[in-house]
């Protein structure tokens, strides 16, 4: 069984994408999105690992976050935590400003939570 919680590319992430250009995003994050959301690939990997009766489900959590909450969320991401202090503060300020100016004080945050279940053969 694998239970993973990953951010989804929502309208806020899309608006922020230019500010993330050039940053070392997590290796699981590909051009088409997060690899753990690729059901076919993940089910095949579990089957190759000796699991059968593999099932996949994706749960969606949608919420609106104010500037402080969005800053706090992004501040917890490893690719942000690893930035030099000045770069990290500049990015977090950009995030807060983006929430306030472009989204009117509350921006969407969509999280997709994939759940993969399998039985060991």
């Amino acid at each position: 069984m694998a239970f993973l919680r990953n951010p989804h590319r929502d309208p806020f992430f899309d608006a922020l994408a230019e500010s993330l250009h050039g940053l070392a995003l997590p290796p699981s994050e590909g051009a088409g999105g997060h690899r753990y959301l690729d059901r076919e690939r993940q089910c095949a990997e579990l089957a190759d690992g000796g699991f059968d009766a593999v099932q996949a489900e994706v749960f969606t959590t949608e919420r609106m976050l104010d500037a402080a909450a969005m800053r706090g969320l992004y501040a917890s991401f490893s690719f942000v935590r690893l930035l030099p202090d000045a770069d990290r503060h500049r990015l977090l300020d950009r995030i807060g400003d983006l929430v306030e100016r472009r989204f009117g004080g509350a921006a969407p945050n969509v999280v997709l939570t994939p759940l993969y279940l399998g039985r060991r053969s």
Side-chain angles (χ1 to χ4, degrees), residues 2-121:
F3 182 73
L4 308 158
R5 188 170 174 92
N6 299 299
H8 173 64
R9 291 187 174 180
D10 54 35
F12 180 79
F13 185 92
D14 290 341
L16 184 64
E18 185 176 311
S19 297
L20 301 178
H21 184 70
L23 295 183
L25 295 176
S28 57
E29 187 70 40
H34 207 286
R35 71 173 287 220
Y36 294 114
L37 296 174
D38 183 344
R39 288 182 188 202
E40 186 174 316
R41 177 181 177 168
Q42 294 305 308
C43 288
E45 286 183 9
L46 287 168
D48 289 347
F51 290 90
D52 59 15
V54 176
Q55 298 175 358
E57 189 69 41
V58 176
F59 301 93
T60 303
T61 303
E62 297 182 35
R63 59 194 175 168
M64 299 296 286
L65 298 180
D66 64 17
M70 193 68 81
R71 282 177 57 106
L73 175 65
Y74 274 81
S76 74
F77 294 163
S78 61
F79 73 90
V80 175
R81 288 193 328 260
L82 293 173
L83 291 173
D85 288 344
D87 293 341
R88 185 175 59 253
H89 292 298
R90 194 170 21 261
L91 177 60
L92 293 174
D93 288 345
R94 170 77 177 122
I95 287 168
D97 188 55
L98 190 60
V99 171
E100 291 297 333
R101 293 178 189 229
R102 186 150 179 201
F103 291 92
N109 175 251
V110 179
V111 178
L112 301 181
T113 305
L115 173 65
Y116 296 95
L117 299 172
R119 187 175 52 231
R120 201 55 134 152
S121 300

